[in-house]
Amino acid sequence: MSGSEYTFKVVQVSLPEPSKLVVMCDKRKRQCVCLRQVYKSCLDGLLPSYQAFYRVCSRLTKHQSTLLSGQDKQLLVALAGMDISVPHVAVVSLAVCCRALKLCKVPAAVLHAFDDIRLQPASQVVLGLPEHILAPHAQPSPNPVQLQMTTPFPVTLPECALPADFNKQHGLLAKPYKHLVHRAVLEQHMGEFKSFSTNPFQLNRKGIAHGSRTWQNSEKQVYLFLGYCHHYQQVSQPTLQLFLSSPLIAQYVSFHIAAGHSQLYIRNFLSCARCVLRWWQSKPGGNHPSFVEGLEWLQTLGLQVADQLPRPSKDPKGLADAGKWMSAPRLVHLIHGAELQSQDQMQQQGVTVETSRDMHDAALAAMTFSHLPPVRLSCIRSLVVPAYTGPCLHPDCKEPSCEGNRLSITSESPLLMHIQLPHHKNARKWGKAVIEFDVPSDLAQLLHTYLGAPRKALLEHHLLIGDTCPYVFMDMHGRGFVAAAVLTLYWQKWLVSRGGVPMNPSMCRQVFVDERQSNSATAGPSNQGAAMVMGHSVKQWDKWYDMQYHPRLAQNAVDGMQSWRAAMLQSHPPAAPDLTLSSALHCGHVLVSDSEESRYQSCCSDSDIDIDLD
C-alpha cells in the first residue's frame, strides 16, 4: 500500500504466536520496520521488559521523531493496529534495536526475528516505533499496591556496625550493580521522578524545578540508597518503592553514621527522600495520611542529625598539618613559577604535546587562583573558546540568544580579553545577572598564547573521531572537564607535581578569603567586588569561607580591650559621689529593724523582688 511518503506492507514473523510487522519504505528505498505493540502470549509477565526496550530505543534516538500525517498515518494505524491518536514514528537502527532487546531480556524468539530482518539485504534498515509506546513516562504508571509508608515509624535509630564486606562503592551505578539500573520498573520510576522534579511547570510539585546539577545529585542519592538495599538488605529488584519503608531509611542513616559520613551528606539524602515521597504523593492513591507523617518524620530526623553530628570546625593550621592547605603567598608563587616555566619551554623546545600541556596547565592554574578572585570551578569548566559559534552548552539554558560562559577577544592590538558568565550558581537568585569582567593583561597574554598553536596541537593529538572540544580547558583525553571530580583529580595531581600538596581546587576560595580577612591582609580588591566575581556575597565569606572568623574576632576584641583599659586609666575620674547617708527617709525609713521588716516589704514592688531574686 502506498501513502504520500511511504510504502507499507505487512510481514509475518516467527514468534511463539504468529505476529506481524509493518514494513515501511520511503521514497529513497530505506526500509523502516514498525513493530506492533502487542505480542499476546509473549507479553504475559514480560510487559516490563518490553517497556524497558521501548525506553532504551527512545533514549538512543534522543526523542527525535518523524511526523506522519494524512494517508501515511491512516495506513500505519490500520495495518499495525495502533491507537488512532498515534501522531509520530521514531527511528532507530535495527542493530541498536537488537542490542536494546538483549539488554532488556526479551524472549529469544523476538531476537531471532529481528536478526532475520537485520540480515536481509537492504541499503538501510531502521526500526519505527510509535511515540505513545516510546514515551511511557508521559502516561501515569499503574500502582500495583496501595501507596502508603511503612508504619509505625521508628522512634530511634537502630544500632549499626559496618559489615565485614563494607564497600564504599555500593551504589547501583558501581560496576557490579549497573545491570540493575536497566530494570524496567526502576527505569520507569526514575523517568517519572525526573519529569516530576525537572519539569518547569509541575503544579502538583512544591517549589521550583530542579536544575541539571540538582537532579544529578538527587539521582546519585537514589542509586546509593537502592544499592545499599540491594547489597546489604538483600533486595533483589530495588525500586523507588523502597523509599516508602521508614525502617530501611532509618537503617541507612545508621549505616552512614557508622561509616563516619558527615551530617551534610546524610541530610542531602534525607532531602532527596522527601522529594521522592512528594513524587509518590502526586500519584493516584498517594493521598494516604502516612505520607504527611513520613515527611514530618524525615524533617525531624534531618534536624536531629544536624544537631547530633555538628560540622567539624576547620582551621588553616590543622589543614596544613594534614597536608591539605597552602598559604596564599606560596600558592601564588607556585602558579607564577609554572607560568614562567611553560613560556620558557615553549620558546626553547617549540610547540609539542608536552609543552602545550604544560602551558594548558599553567593557564588553568592561573584562572583558578592568582590573577582573578577564585571563580567557581563550574564556570571554569564550562568556559568556551572565542571561536565557538554553536548554541549555549549549559543543559538548563533556554535562551536562544545565550552564548554561554564564554571567553572572548575584544581586541587583538592592544590585546583585550573579556569573560562573561551568565551561568553560575546564584544566577537565579541574582535575577539572571551576568558576572563579567575584562581579563588582566598578564593572564590575557597567557591565555592568548595557549589558545593558538599549543591548543591546536592538543586537539590534533586528542582528536576523537573528527570531534573537537569547544571548551577552553580539557583533560588528558582532549575532552572538557564535564565532571567536577575529573577536574579535582587533575588539579591535585598537577599541584603535587609542582611541589605542592594535594589540595582540592575549591579550597583556593578559602585560601583567598582567609588572606583577605586576616589582620595582615595586603592591599587588593574590595571584598564586595571580589565576592561578586566569586559568585556570592561577603556574608557568605563569614559564614562558609572564613575559617578564622570567630577566633580572629575574639582575639581582636581581647587585644582591643587593653587599649580601652589604658584609655580608661589615663582619663580623669569624675568626683567621687557623697555616700553620707541622708537624714531624709526613703519610703519613710532608712534603717530597717526586725519590727519594721513587714513594713519594708510592703514598700517594695513585685518587680523589685523579682530583680533581687534574679
Side-chain angles (χ1 to χ4, degrees):
M1 299 180 183
S2 298
S4 59
E5 297 290 338
Y6 294 89
T7 300
F8 299 86
K9 67 176 180 178
V10 178
V11 178
Q12 295 290 335
V13 294
S14 175
L15 293 172
E17 179 174 307
S19 302
K20 64 181 180 179
L21 300 176
V22 179
V23 179
M24 305 165 52
C25 185
D26 63 9
K27 292 182 178 180
R28 288 181 289 175
K29 305 302 180 184
R30 293 185 305 177
Q31 293 183 349
C32 303
V33 181
C34 182
L35 176 67
R36 288 197 59 179
Q37 181 183 3
V38 179
Y39 294 97
K40 295 181 182 177
S41 61
C42 297
L43 284 181
D44 293 341
L46 293 171
L47 183 59
S49 297
Y50 284 96
Q51 291 175 343
F53 159 67
Y54 295 138
R55 282 191 294 276
V56 170
C57 290
S58 177
R59 185 173 66 248
L60 293 175
T61 58
K62 299 181 180 179
H63 306 282
Q64 296 175 355
S65 303
T66 301
L67 178 63
L68 287 183
S69 60
Q71 189 178 7
D72 287 328
K73 176 181 176 181
Q74 296 174 5
L75 288 172
L76 181 63
V77 168
L79 292 174
M82 299 179 186
D83 186 355
I84 195 171
S85 62
V86 174
H88 296 86
V89 168
V91 177
V92 62
S93 71
L94 201 56
V96 175
C97 167
C98 292
R99 195 181 79 183
L101 287 170
K102 292 177 183 177
L103 288 175
C104 300
K105 299 181 179 180
V106 301
V110 179
L111 293 176
H112 296 327
F114 275 89
D115 283 335
D116 292 341
I117 297 173
R118 185 165 59 92
L119 296 176
Q120 292 177 2
S123 58
Q124 181 180 356
V125 180
V126 293
L127 174 71
L129 297 174
E131 187 186 57
H132 77 290
I133 300 175
L134 287 174
H137 304 328
Q139 304 173 0
S141 62
N143 297 292
V145 296
Q146 173 64 34
L147 296 180
Q148 67 179 69
M149 291 199 68
T150 305
T151 54
F153 294 96
V155 295
T156 186
L157 292 180
E159 295 291 334
C160 178
L162 286 181
D165 60 341
F166 170 67
N167 185 2
K168 292 182 178 180
Q169 295 184 349
H170 60 270
L172 290 191
L173 294 181
K175 288 184 178 180
Y177 318 115
K178 269 192 174 181
H179 65 283
L180 295 173
V181 177
H182 301 292
R183 295 293 177 91
V185 177
L186 177 57
E187 276 196 338
Q188 182 179 3
H189 285 177
M190 290 302 295
E192 294 178 356
F193 178 48
K194 181 177 182 180
S195 298
F196 175 82
S197 302
T198 59
N199 282 345
F201 296 99
Q202 189 75 29
L203 301 185
N204 58 348
R205 177 197 66 216
K206 291 184 178 180
I208 59 178
H210 286 179
S212 58
R213 181 74 179 272
T214 306
W215 166 249
Q216 290 173 4
N217 292 336
S218 298
E219 186 180 38
K220 176 183 175 181
Q221 292 292 345
V222 167
Y223 284 137
L224 283 172
F225 173 65
L226 298 184
Y228 165 82
C229 296
H230 172 73
H231 186 68
Y232 297 112
Q233 300 296 330
Q234 288 74 49
V235 178
S236 59
Q237 294 190 14
T239 67
L240 292 192
Q241 202 158 343
L242 295 177
F243 280 87
L244 302 182
S245 173
S246 54
L248 269 181
I249 293 177
Q251 292 171 3
Y252 186 58
V253 172
S254 295
F255 169 79
H256 278 303
I257 295 176
H261 295 157
S262 66
Q263 57 105 342
L264 183 61
Y265 190 92
I266 300 175
R267 292 178 68 190
N268 284 341
F269 162 72
L270 295 175
S271 176
C272 174
R274 289 198 297 270
C275 293
V276 176
L277 285 191
R278 293 192 184 98
W279 168 69
W280 279 115
Q281 259 188 321
S282 69
K283 298 173 68 63
N287 54 354
H288 196 273
S290 62
F291 282 101
V292 178
E293 300 175 15
L295 290 171
E296 295 178 353
W297 180 77
L298 287 173
Q299 185 176 9
T300 301
L301 179 56
L303 292 174
Q304 295 188 7
V305 164
D307 178 66
Q308 296 301 316
L309 300 176
R311 298 183 66 178
S313 59
K314 298 179 181 179
D315 62 278
K317 184 178 182 305
L319 290 173
D321 294 340
K324 298 180 180 180
W325 179 270
M326 293 177 64
S327 64
R330 182 186 174 192
L331 194 54
V332 170
H333 280 83
L334 187 148
I335 295 174
H336 182 64
E339 296 177 38
L340 297 179
Q341 182 178 350
S342 66
Q343 294 171 353
D344 291 342
Q345 289 180 346
M346 188 68 65
Q347 292 177 356
Q348 297 172 6
Q349 304 176 23
V351 178
T352 65
V353 175
E354 290 74 16
T355 57
S356 300
R357 177 57 64 177
D358 288 342
M359 181 159 285
H360 165 277
D361 296 345
L364 174 61
M367 277 288 298
T368 307
F369 195 78
S370 181
H371 291 275
L372 305 172
V375 181
R376 289 191 183 276
L377 296 179
S378 58
C379 297
I380 296 176
R381 291 189 291 111
S382 59
L383 199 66
V384 297
V385 295
Y388 178 71
T389 57
C392 177
L393 299 176
H394 194 276
D396 297 330
C397 183
K398 298 179 177 61
E399 298 291 336
S401 60
C402 180
E403 296 181 343
N405 292 344
R406 174 177 293 273
L407 172 67
S408 57
I409 299 177
T410 307
S411 171
E412 291 281 357
S413 181
L415 179 61
L416 295 176
M417 303 186 79
H418 187 78
I419 288 179
Q420 59 179 12
L421 305 172
H423 300 296
H424 53 91
K425 184 176 181 180
N426 287 323
R428 182 181 291 172
K429 294 181 180 179
W430 292 4
K432 297 185 179 181
V434 178
I435 300 175
E436 55 181 336
F437 48 85
D438 293 329
V439 181
S441 58
D442 291 345
L443 179 58
Q445 187 61 52
L446 177 65
L447 290 172
H448 189 265
T449 304
Y450 156 68
L451 292 175
R455 186 173 185 276
K456 184 178 179 181
L458 291 179
L459 288 176
E460 292 176 352
H461 179 70
H462 298 298
L463 197 60
L464 300 175
I465 318 177
D467 196 7
T468 185
C469 179
Y471 299 104
V472 174
F473 303 107
M474 62 188 81
D475 61 13
M476 295 299 294
H477 301 284
R479 299 169 298 195
F481 293 101
V482 179
V486 177
L487 177 57
T488 298
L489 295 175
Y490 187 94
W491 163 273
Q492 290 176 333
K493 186 176 180 180
W494 176 84
L495 201 59
V496 171
S497 69
R498 301 294 306 181
V501 300
M503 185 178 72
N504 193 307
S506 62
M507 190 66 71
C508 292
R509 297 162 71 84
Q510 276 89 343
V511 172
F512 177 76
V513 172
D514 178 74
E515 195 281 331
R516 298 309 305 149
Q517 297 283 75
S518 66
N519 295 331
S520 58
T522 59
S526 67
N527 291 350
Q528 186 175 3
M532 183 72 66
V533 175
M534 295 172 68
H536 53 220
S537 63
V538 178
K539 289 183 178 179
Q540 288 176 296
W541 282 19
D542 300 337
K543 187 174 183 181
W544 300 111
Y545 292 92
D546 187 2
M547 293 182 289
Q548 296 278 61
Y549 177 73
H550 293 95
R552 184 180 63 253
L553 290 185
Q555 188 61 52
N556 289 346
V558 172
D559 294 342
M561 284 297 296
Q562 309 315 307
S563 58
W564 176 85
R565 178 176 178 273
M568 293 297 101
L569 293 175
Q570 292 176 2
S571 63
H572 298 287
D578 186 7
L579 300 179
T580 304
L581 291 177
S582 172
S583 58
L585 295 179
H586 177 65
C587 295
H589 62 278
V590 173
L591 300 178
V592 181
S593 63
D594 293 339
S595 61
E596 293 177 314
E597 181 177 359
S598 60
R599 181 186 172 193
Y600 171 74
Q601 291 179 352
S602 66
C603 296
C604 296
S605 65
D606 294 339
S607 60
D608 294 335
I609 297 175
D610 292 340
I611 293 173
D612 291 338
L613 292 176
D614 291 340

